[in-house]
Amino acid sequence: MSGRSILGAEGLARDGHDASVRRRLESIARVLDSRWRIPGTGIRFGADAALNVIPGIGLVASKGVSAYLILEARRLGVPPGVLMRMIGNIGVDALISAVPLAGWIGDVFFRANLRNMALLRQHLDRKQRPAD
């Protein structure tokens, strides 16, 4: 018997809340990492790369939003090991972003927030599968 059927309406409400949070976090990650496309190419970039044009402040702002995504993942019950991988992705992204000029290019190709959303998606999909 699955845990969802035992929980009844409360479990269904929780699933709906998780789905809503998931959609919101997916949207934020897309805006940060792949919102716009460079015309004539398949190259996409987001606010993370654009904000890094502003020295110091852009890095702090973009990584602050990335930290929010991780905080929300924690609230959704992501295990510590996965949270550490997510933090590592943001750390690598911060190191890449800290290098002037080269960091802007790196931000376009290393999409930490989309990577983190893939980790969150995997966790939530496993959590939703009924236990046999």
Side-chain angles (χ1 to χ4, degrees), residues 7-23:
L7 293 175
E10 182 181 324
L12 292 174
R14 182 72 197 160
D15 286 347
H17 175 265
D18 287 359
S20 172
V21 171
R22 181 176 175 165
R23 282 190 303 275

Side-chain angles (χ1 to χ4, degrees), residues 37-105:
R37 186 177 55 82
I38 297 173
T41 72
I43 299 171
R44 300 190 70 81
F45 70 97
D48 188 17
L51 283 169
N52 285 331
V53 174
I54 306 167
I57 296 169
L59 179 67
V60 171
S62 66
K63 298 316 165 234
V65 177
S66 297
Y68 166 74
L69 295 176
I70 294 172
L71 177 63
E72 285 293 321
R74 182 177 174 271
R75 288 182 183 150
L76 290 171
V78 172
V82 176
L83 290 173
M84 292 307 293
R85 286 182 62 196
M86 294 173 86
I87 291 167
N89 284 335
I90 299 305
V92 168
D93 191 39
L95 288 174
I96 291 169
S97 299
V99 179
L101 297 176
W104 301 336
I105 295 167

Side-chain angles (χ1 to χ4, degrees), residues 77-132:
V78 172
V82 176
L83 290 173
M84 292 307 293
R85 286 182 62 196
M86 294 173 86
I87 291 167
N89 284 335
I90 299 305
V92 168
D93 191 39
L95 288 174
I96 291 169
S97 299
V99 179
L101 297 176
W104 301 336
I105 295 167
D107 271 337
V108 170
F109 296 103
F110 186 81
R111 297 177 172 134
N113 298 295
L114 292 177
R115 289 171 187 252
N116 286 346
M117 288 312 302
L119 292 170
L120 177 61
R121 216 176 297 116
Q122 289 170 358
H123 167 73
L124 292 176
D125 289 348
R126 276 193 304 268
K127 190 171 111 174
Q128 288 179 348
R129 280 189 219 127
D132 293 322

